[in-house]
Amino acid sequence: ADEKIKVALVIPSTIDDMAWSQAMYEGIKAVQAELGEDKMEVAVSERLWNAVDAGAAIREYALQGYQLIIAHGAQYQSLLNEIAPEFPKISFAYGTGFATESPNIFAYDPHAQEGAYLLGMIAGLKTKSNIIGIVGPVEAGDAIKFNKGFVQGAKAVNPNVDVRIAYTGSFGDLVAAAEIARTHIKAGADVLTGSSQQSVGAINVTKEFDKLFWLSTDMNQVSISPKTVLAAQVYNFKDTVKTMLDSRAAGELGGKHLELSFANNGLSLVYNEELAAEIGDDIKAKVEEAKGKLVDGSLKINME
Amino acid sequence: MRGDISPFPHHYHVGRRDRIRGAETALLQRNLFMPEAIQHLAMQHIVKRFPGVLACDRISIELRAGEILAILGENGAGKTTLMNILYGLYHPDEGQILINGRAVKIETPRHACELGIGMVHQHFMLVPNLTVVENVALGLYNRAIFHLDLNRVRKIILDISQKYRLAVKPDAYVWQLSVGEQQRVELIKALCLGANLLVLDEPTAALTPQETDELIAQLKEMARQGCSIIFISHKLNEVKALSSHICVLRNGQVVYNGNTSEHSVETLAEKMAGREVKLPISREKAAYGEDVLALQDVWAKGDQGTFALQGVSLTVRAGEILGIAGVSGNGQRELADAISGLRRVEKGHIFVEHAEITNLTPQQIINHNLGYVPEDRLHEGTIPSFSISENMIMKNYDRPPMTRSGFLQQKTISLYAQELVNKFQVKCPGIYSSCASLSGGNIQKVILARELTRNPKILVAAYPTRGLDIGATEYVHYRLLEAREANKAVLVISEELDELLNICDRIAVIYEGKILKILSKHEANKSSLGLLMAGVTG
Amino acid sequence: MKTTFTQRLGFKILIVVAALMAALLSGAVLFLLAGANPLQAYFVMFTKPLNGVFGLTEILVRATPLMIVALGIAISFRSGILNIGGEGQILIGAIIGAAVALYLPAMPKHLHLTLIFAASFLGGAIWGGIAGWMRAYFAVNEILSTVMLNYIAIQVYTFLIRGPMIDPQEIKYGTGVPQTAALPRELWLDKLIPGARLHTGIILAVILAVLVYLFLWKTPVGYRMRAVGAEVKASKYAGINVPKYLFFAMFLSGGFSGLAGAVEVCGVHHRGLESLSAGYGFSGIVVALFGALHPLGIIPASILFGLLIIGADMMQRSVEVPASIIMAIQGLIILALVSSQVFLSQEQMRLKLVKLLLFWKK
Amino acid sequence: MLLEAITVIISTAIPLSVSFILAGLGEMFNQRAGTFNLGVEGIMLLGAFTGFYTVHHLHSNVLGLLAAMAVGAVMGLLMAVSVITFKATQGIAGIGLYMVGWGISGTLFRIYVGGITSIEGITALHIPVLSTLPVVGAMFFQHDIVVYITFLLIPLAWYVLFKTAWGLKVRAIGTTPRAADTLGVSVERIRYQCLILGGMMAGLAGAYLSICQAHMFADNITAGRGFIAVALVYFGKWHPVGIMGGALLFSLAHSLQRFIQVYGINFPYEFAVVFPYVLVIIVLALSHKSKDAGPTALGTPYEREFRG
Ligand SMILES: Nc1ncnc2c1ncn2[C@@H]1O[C@H](COP(=O)(O)OP(=O)(O)OP(=O)(O)O)[C@@H](O)[C@H]1O
Ligand SMILES: Nc1ncnc2c1ncn2[C@@H]1O[C@H](COP(=O)(O)OP(=O)(O)OP(=O)(O)O)[C@@H](O)[C@H]1O
Ligand SMILES: [Mg+2]
Ligand SMILES: [Mg+2]
């Protein structure tokens, strides 16, 4: 059918959070740019952090005839499981997640641990103090996956490294993240990382110091601090969205568990070109080698 | 009076303002600045309505420099409202105020102050968490932003207090003071701020006889010097002694205007109440019953943490009224609180009919059948935001017949409250209106109705007629005597010696937390009590 | 100045409309800045939710927890203690409700639901009771303690749903999303209308409102609590154990919030998950105060507030303005309405306003 | 090692306490005057945005702080109009103001900035000589200028509240407005002044977060700090020193818990995160002997002709 496809996006924070939500928003926008505005209509509802409001939004989009409704958060799983059966003609998607209880639900699942492993390697190789700090939000979901991969990557290249994790207890409190970053730094860390939208607060702190590096995830956060962000794991949701649209066009409204990994280009690792001097070819080589192993499956990250 | 730093003497002679010297007095000067002395005040056809009440119904009064006008009227007649209008607290719906022949609109109390009007309010206008000095400073420095010289204010207060013989503790917090002390602070405050029209709304309700006499003398002196005074009181002998003119209000209307000299206290009472009033005098009894209430060496602390009761022992027998005379602040409040369980007894024992009630909870003591009319009628004796009917059942709401099978019985309660309102002639729009909307006198009636109707074995009444009009006072006295006849034990705390002498069987005098002496009816008289109250024994 | 009932009513309506207009006009500036048409936005906001089953039922879905929380808030405020810890109490109630639902052996539905509600009530009550107890016996201001307890509750809740109570599935698949397992279907509150989320919780809420009314105004315990709230000194004088009732007020108040948490779990989410409360602890305060702290006023107030939430939400989606705008508009409307309230309840204030207006004309 | 730990903890705690102290002092004046403003959080958010935006465009930190204070004053004024002139219920008005502040800051941020953007802002200042002192140098003398100003504001606030005529009036109208009124003190005017002052302080507190701490703005950057500041006013019993004590205690506890987390702990991090909140409650409970009942007219509008 060449009529316009209507896609709705429900996100917990905002389209400009430089993290999780923005990554998906840009993915959808990229698809739209490719298909053309006349072929695809996009609606976004932001700040639907809590499940009640999200539920209303999703239902409303469903009633308005949106064909693909992406609820971009693990916390929306339960909602979709209830709503989807009532709208069998509409495709729903959520992530991070695995369960597709209805045939019209897609679950997508970025393998945060993979990029984290590579970032961990860079950190392990770059640290001079052998102390690396992680600024975590809440010890759950993607943050756990990220941290696990990161620690293993760092240890793999530098067994002496001390990776210290501290949590703010909140996803959005970027001042608290900044404080944790400062504490890490004062306690000797010289490479930092962290996940979720709060981490932008921590990245900003790194600017105040010399010879301090940050490794970012979800999005390429170099623009926040071009002098300290060394590399980033980037989620390419564009392909995920396209897969869903294609699958839908092919008559499959859902029921798939879509993974984002290096193997399927769902993830990518980008280096900060400005800091090319900091990441020598030796480091790059090691990282790229590990990435190859992740892709061919010979390197497995322990997720226990 | 040269060198007197008190601003007061200068007020009535505007010309002398320039005599206030020194840079530091500049501030006071600014405060005292007034365009001209009030030579003549007229309030004409003042009308003030409140929802459901016509408080002032075309009232006109007139006053010249040097005159003392007494405004009389029953509780709720509209006296306070009229004065509040003069002071800018309320705005009249109709009518006008003329000062020296010119119409003025008094918008705010501040405006009134600037015009030279000072007021002692019936309900104290004091800030409890500030010291006496700070309270006064508030008025003196109401235009200042930074400058604040408390030492200076303290000196002014001490001078005034000395001059008018009104004892105060300048650095005590107001919340630590007894009602009598607060009354003195109110007066001192008004005197410190200075005015050439002074409004006094029941200023003597909580003063001792000596203080009252002193005040009256001073007020007369002020009037002689050209100050005009409006004086509201329910104590007609004061009115007689002080005022030159009277104005009697009833239901918001002026019912009489005239010269004081044409009346005796009795005819004044009649004018006011609209009938003859006769305060009852109790007759001595041949025999009394058992001791019902007994205190043995009771010690209790005051709010300041020192011992306010220092070994009080006394007994009250069935069928007897025991009076406690004393200058307020000598432990009366603590005594009543200790008996009713609202204050810890540190040492000693209290018995009700041989059962010890020392340090029981207030509820347990209520269950021992103690009735208590507290000093603070507005916030302790009643819950202002509750309706009259809810206040009437404050001590028996949770037992039959008010509560049955777990629920309040609305019908029973309403009937009960209505009956009490009728019986005690509480003037109110209805039993569902809030207690806060009642006048002080009527609040007191609500409390008395509640406490007496519960039929207690013992009744403790602190200052039961303070602020009541003469008709209501008469009524309360009859009730207390009725309780006595019904063989109750009654403890009355009061500063009104006439009251105590009229109704008590014995009178104990309290001084600095100790009972100095207990006098029998025939031993007691004004002078013997007066000396004891001042702490003079032997 | 004699006025008729209709005149007064008309004037009151005029005041409310004027206040609303003021709020909407200032909000219009934001819409214009955001490049949206304010008229269209407002039209959607006030008509769309009322136009169709979806909007109407969603209003009631929000009104349900709001009403229950607000009832509890009213109890505490009436007793002279300001409970701003609703948010934390909701979470504690929700997690306890979820635990009882998930870990108790199978039993008849209604028995099980009763247990869930009782346990969540108790949980919220204890959480609120902590603040009440500290206020009553240690003079710890309840605003401080409830604010702090909110943060503590969030962390406790997160710990439980990501740790001990996490859905075993999440462990199995390694996704680790912090949420409990789903409740068995028979424990979901029945839907009232097919295809909508509205559930029987609303009936429970209305029944509770009536019960709270009876409790506060028709029982001796209610009398005591209101007395303590109105005048502590007089309450002591009347023999009321003031600390006990301060504690009890917070205990009950927390209980209601806790119950609201369980109602959300059983009625809407069907499991314990992150950010389960949509700020009901705070909006509950607004609702309670708008309802004049009276249970029978809280019923319409919570529905009105539900309308405000849903309308703003729908408007944001259909006009496509930043989500923040709806927060601002809601805030402005709340400010305007609350600022007009005194003119509705106090005749004296109304007269003052009339005089002011007349004066201006001259 | 211990000394080092203490240095880290204290030196991170001090800047952390600043926004609480600033907002808390402002709220203290509000409450002393009898109005409580739950909207502090909203004012802080708008202040944070305004400060950020001004610095972003005008590259002047001083202007940024001033602009935040100005906007805070306007928000305070809005609150004042609502609760003083229109006698609105303070709890609701405060929550309304909070939503307005949050909503407007978020909206303007989206419209005019639209993404994470950082600013230079105000950075730490190493006081010559003092900052080189061992231990104390790092603890106390390597902070940004606003930190020092804030700690100077504490004695100033104390002086204003307890030693000036204005402070006396503030204390009086928070307890017995009618009494103050009869003495010619304009209750409404002073309450207005206090709310505006409180708004300015809250605006400044917000700007501190964006200009000095985060060097950026993001939606809901305050993350509840405004509510904590209000709570700390109760902790400090409406006294500047008490508020400072509460803010420092809370911040030190936060620094300590972060430090412990950073050094690796083997229990759920939630216990660490919760520690400051628990500590504040417990300390207050243990120090409950204080007599000050606080401003008793708190929350009640004043109208001359109302009674009961
Ligand atoms: N603020 C108010 N609001 C409503 N009604 C009021 C208010 N103040 C006074 N009234 C009404 O005005 C009437 C007169 O009150 P006012 O205080 O003047 O009496 P009063 O003569 O001073 O009595 P008392 O001898 O008891 O002091 C009362 O009946 C009361 O109903
Ligand atoms: N808010 C109010 N609403 C209605 N009536 C009121 C209100 N306030 C006072 N009144 C009425 O005003 C009259 C006097 O009030 P006020 O409190 O000034 O009396 P008062 O001077 O204290 O009386 P008393 O001499 O008995 O102590 C009373 O009759 C009372 O009913
Ligand atoms: Mg009077
Ligand atoms: Mg009177």
Side-chain angles (χ1 to χ4, degrees), chain C residues 165-182:
Chain C
M165 290 181 66
I166 194 170
D167 186 352
Q169 298 257 42
E170 295 293 336
I171 302 288
K172 192 170 140 206
Y173 288 90
T175 36
V177 173
Q179 58 184 13
T180 69

PDB file of all heavy atoms in Angstrom, chain C residues 165-182:
ATOM      1  N   MET C 165      11.914  -8.840  44.342  1.00  0.00           N
ATOM      2  CA  MET C 165      10.595  -9.116  43.760  1.00  0.00           C
ATOM      3  C   MET C 165      10.579  -9.057  42.239  1.00  0.00           C
ATOM      4  O   MET C 165       9.518  -9.075  41.624  1.00  0.00           O
ATOM      5  CB  MET C 165       9.568  -8.117  44.317  1.00  0.00           C
ATOM      6  CG  MET C 165       9.249  -8.363  45.782  1.00  0.00           C
ATOM      7  SD  MET C 165       8.042  -7.213  46.402  1.00  0.00           S
ATOM      8  CE  MET C 165       6.601  -7.674  45.468  1.00  0.00           C
ATOM      9  N   ILE C 166      11.740  -8.989  41.639  1.00  0.00           N
ATOM     10  CA  ILE C 166      11.760  -8.825  40.184  1.00  0.00           C
ATOM     11  C   ILE C 166      11.117 -10.027  39.491  1.00  0.00           C
ATOM     12  O   ILE C 166      11.187 -11.170  39.977  1.00  0.00           O
ATOM     13  CB  ILE C 166      13.206  -8.595  39.689  1.00  0.00           C
ATOM     14  CG1 ILE C 166      13.193  -8.073  38.251  1.00  0.00           C
ATOM     15  CG2 ILE C 166      14.009  -9.888  39.803  1.00  0.00           C
ATOM     16  CD1 ILE C 166      14.539  -7.591  37.773  1.00  0.00           C
ATOM     17  N   ASP C 167      10.482  -9.736  38.405  1.00  0.00           N
ATOM     18  CA  ASP C 167       9.850 -10.776  37.585  1.00  0.00           C
ATOM     19  C   ASP C 167      10.915 -11.813  37.193  1.00  0.00           C
ATOM     20  O   ASP C 167      11.918 -11.460  36.568  1.00  0.00           O
ATOM     21  CB  ASP C 167       9.294 -10.089  36.325  1.00  0.00           C
ATOM     22  CG  ASP C 167       8.487 -11.055  35.479  1.00  0.00           C
ATOM     23  OD1 ASP C 167       8.495 -12.269  35.798  1.00  0.00           O
ATOM     24  OD2 ASP C 167       7.859 -10.586  34.514  1.00  0.00           O
ATOM     25  N   PRO C 168      10.728 -13.072  37.543  1.00  0.00           N
ATOM     26  CA  PRO C 168      11.736 -14.095  37.221  1.00  0.00           C
ATOM     27  C   PRO C 168      12.060 -14.117  35.727  1.00  0.00           C
ATOM     28  O   PRO C 168      13.194 -14.437  35.341  1.00  0.00           O
ATOM     29  CB  PRO C 168      11.072 -15.397  37.657  1.00  0.00           C
ATOM     30  CG  PRO C 168      10.003 -15.011  38.595  1.00  0.00           C
ATOM     31  CD  PRO C 168       9.590 -13.618  38.281  1.00  0.00           C
ATOM     32  N   GLN C 169      11.094 -13.763  34.907  1.00  0.00           N
ATOM     33  CA  GLN C 169      11.305 -13.719  33.466  1.00  0.00           C
ATOM     34  C   GLN C 169      12.434 -12.769  33.099  1.00  0.00           C
ATOM     35  O   GLN C 169      13.202 -13.002  32.167  1.00  0.00           O
ATOM     36  CB  GLN C 169      10.037 -13.213  32.769  1.00  0.00           C
ATOM     37  CG  GLN C 169       8.849 -14.100  32.967  1.00  0.00           C
ATOM     38  CD  GLN C 169       8.609 -14.926  31.722  1.00  0.00           C
ATOM     39  OE1 GLN C 169       9.563 -15.444  31.117  1.00  0.00           O
ATOM     40  NE2 GLN C 169       7.366 -15.056  31.332  1.00  0.00           N
ATOM     41  N   GLU C 170      12.470 -11.642  33.818  1.00  0.00           N
ATOM     42  CA  GLU C 170      13.464 -10.624  33.514  1.00  0.00           C
ATOM     43  C   GLU C 170      14.866 -11.156  33.783  1.00  0.00           C
ATOM     44  O   GLU C 170      15.820 -10.781  33.104  1.00  0.00           O
ATOM     45  CB  GLU C 170      13.218  -9.360  34.351  1.00  0.00           C
ATOM     46  CG  GLU C 170      11.919  -8.647  34.044  1.00  0.00           C
ATOM     47  CD  GLU C 170      11.909  -8.044  32.651  1.00  0.00           C
ATOM     48  OE1 GLU C 170      12.988  -7.778  32.105  1.00  0.00           O
ATOM     49  OE2 GLU C 170      10.797  -7.855  32.106  1.00  0.00           O
ATOM     50  N   ILE C 171      14.968 -11.979  34.804  1.00  0.00           N
ATOM     51  CA  ILE C 171      16.262 -12.588  35.105  1.00  0.00           C
ATOM     52  C   ILE C 171      16.608 -13.579  33.997  1.00  0.00           C
ATOM     53  O   ILE C 171      17.714 -13.602  33.451  1.00  0.00           O
ATOM     54  CB  ILE C 171      16.198 -13.343  36.453  1.00  0.00           C
ATOM     55  CG1 ILE C 171      15.798 -12.394  37.577  1.00  0.00           C
ATOM     56  CG2 ILE C 171      17.538 -14.018  36.752  1.00  0.00           C
ATOM     57  CD1 ILE C 171      16.856 -11.411  37.970  1.00  0.00           C
ATOM     58  N   LYS C 172      15.585 -14.361  33.672  1.00  0.00           N
ATOM     59  CA  LYS C 172      15.797 -15.424  32.704  1.00  0.00           C
ATOM     60  C   LYS C 172      16.314 -14.867  31.368  1.00  0.00           C
ATOM     61  O   LYS C 172      17.264 -15.381  30.793  1.00  0.00           O
ATOM     62  CB  LYS C 172      14.464 -16.157  32.480  1.00  0.00           C
ATOM     63  CG  LYS C 172      14.604 -17.455  31.710  1.00  0.00           C
ATOM     64  CD  LYS C 172      13.283 -18.219  31.759  1.00  0.00           C
ATOM     65  CE  LYS C 172      12.993 -18.862  30.417  1.00  0.00           C
ATOM     66  NZ  LYS C 172      11.561 -19.061  30.213  1.00  0.00           N
ATOM     67  N   TYR C 173      15.719 -13.794  30.933  1.00  0.00           N
ATOM     68  CA  TYR C 173      16.114 -13.245  29.635  1.00  0.00           C
ATOM     69  C   TYR C 173      17.235 -12.219  29.751  1.00  0.00           C
ATOM     70  O   TYR C 173      17.657 -11.640  28.754  1.00  0.00           O
ATOM     71  CB  TYR C 173      14.915 -12.607  28.927  1.00  0.00           C
ATOM     72  CG  TYR C 173      13.944 -13.639  28.433  1.00  0.00           C
ATOM     73  CD1 TYR C 173      12.908 -14.077  29.228  1.00  0.00           C
ATOM     74  CD2 TYR C 173      14.113 -14.205  27.160  1.00  0.00           C
ATOM     75  CE1 TYR C 173      12.032 -15.042  28.781  1.00  0.00           C
ATOM     76  CE2 TYR C 173      13.226 -15.169  26.718  1.00  0.00           C
ATOM     77  CZ  TYR C 173      12.183 -15.594  27.527  1.00  0.00           C
ATOM     78  OH  TYR C 173      11.334 -16.544  27.076  1.00  0.00           O
ATOM     79  N   GLY C 174      17.616 -11.950  30.980  1.00  0.00           N
ATOM     80  CA  GLY C 174      18.736 -11.033  31.167  1.00  0.00           C
ATOM     81  C   GLY C 174      18.410  -9.580  30.874  1.00  0.00           C
ATOM     82  O   GLY C 174      19.306  -8.761  30.741  1.00  0.00           O
ATOM     83  N   THR C 175      17.140  -9.256  30.722  1.00  0.00           N
ATOM     84  CA  THR C 175      16.814  -7.858  30.445  1.00  0.00           C
ATOM     85  C   THR C 175      16.808  -7.030  31.723  1.00  0.00           C
ATOM     86  O   THR C 175      17.051  -5.823  31.687  1.00  0.00           O
ATOM     87  CB  THR C 175      15.451  -7.733  29.758  1.00  0.00           C
ATOM     88  OG1 THR C 175      14.590  -8.724  30.314  1.00  0.00           O
ATOM     89  CG2 THR C 175      15.596  -7.952  28.268  1.00  0.00           C
ATOM     90  N   GLY C 176      16.484  -7.672  32.833  1.00  0.00           N
ATOM     91  CA  GLY C 176      16.591  -6.991  34.121  1.00  0.00           C
ATOM     92  C   GLY C 176      15.736  -5.767  34.296  1.00  0.00           C
ATOM     93  O   GLY C 176      16.061  -4.886  35.073  1.00  0.00           O
ATOM     94  N   VAL C 177      14.624  -5.695  33.564  1.00  0.00           N
ATOM     95  CA  VAL C 177      13.740  -4.547  33.736  1.00  0.00           C
ATOM     96  C   VAL C 177      13.128  -4.600  35.132  1.00  0.00           C
ATOM     97  O   VAL C 177      12.619  -5.645  35.539  1.00  0.00           O
ATOM     98  CB  VAL C 177      12.622  -4.562  32.677  1.00  0.00           C
ATOM     99  CG1 VAL C 177      11.603  -3.477  32.958  1.00  0.00           C
ATOM    100  CG2 VAL C 177      13.235  -4.396  31.299  1.00  0.00           C
ATOM    101  N   PRO C 178      13.231  -3.513  35.867  1.00  0.00           N
ATOM    102  CA  PRO C 178      12.721  -3.558  37.236  1.00  0.00           C
ATOM    103  C   PRO C 178      11.195  -3.564  37.280  1.00  0.00           C
ATOM    104  O   PRO C 178      10.554  -2.525  37.176  1.00  0.00           O
ATOM    105  CB  PRO C 178      13.282  -2.283  37.865  1.00  0.00           C
ATOM    106  CG  PRO C 178      13.556  -1.368  36.734  1.00  0.00           C
ATOM    107  CD  PRO C 178      13.817  -2.206  35.536  1.00  0.00           C
ATOM    108  N   GLN C 179      10.649  -4.713  37.410  1.00  0.00           N
ATOM    109  CA  GLN C 179       9.197  -4.825  37.601  1.00  0.00           C
ATOM    110  C   GLN C 179       8.883  -6.198  38.167  1.00  0.00           C
ATOM    111  O   GLN C 179       9.627  -7.151  37.976  1.00  0.00           O
ATOM    112  CB  GLN C 179       8.448  -4.609  36.282  1.00  0.00           C
ATOM    113  CG  GLN C 179       8.843  -5.581  35.184  1.00  0.00           C
ATOM    114  CD  GLN C 179       8.131  -5.262  33.874  1.00  0.00           C
ATOM    115  OE1 GLN C 179       7.548  -4.210  33.723  1.00  0.00           O
ATOM    116  NE2 GLN C 179       8.202  -6.182  32.920  1.00  0.00           N
ATOM    117  N   THR C 180       7.767  -6.273  38.877  1.00  0.00           N
ATOM    118  CA  THR C 180       7.389  -7.559  39.436  1.00  0.00           C
ATOM    119  C   THR C 180       6.700  -8.373  38.342  1.00  0.00           C
ATOM    120  O   THR C 180       6.375  -7.848  37.279  1.00  0.00           O
ATOM    121  CB  THR C 180       6.397  -7.400  40.598  1.00  0.00           C
ATOM    122  OG1 THR C 180       5.153  -6.940  40.057  1.00  0.00           O
ATOM    123  CG2 THR C 180       6.896  -6.395  41.619  1.00  0.00           C
ATOM    124  N   ALA C 181       6.478  -9.623  38.668  1.00  0.00           N
ATOM    125  CA  ALA C 181       5.704 -10.451  37.739  1.00  0.00           C
ATOM    126  C   ALA C 181       4.296  -9.885  37.631  1.00  0.00           C
ATOM    127  O   ALA C 181       3.836  -9.145  38.504  1.00  0.00           O
ATOM    128  CB  ALA C 181       5.670 -11.878  38.248  1.00  0.00           C
ATOM    129  N   ALA C 182       3.605 -10.228  36.549  1.00  0.00           N
ATOM    130  CA  ALA C 182       2.240  -9.757  36.394  1.00  0.00           C
ATOM    131  C   ALA C 182       1.326 -10.483  37.372  1.00  0.00           C
ATOM    132  O   ALA C 182       1.545 -11.652  37.702  1.00  0.00           O
ATOM    133  CB  ALA C 182       1.774  -9.989  34.968  1.00  0.00           C
TER     134      ALA C 182
END
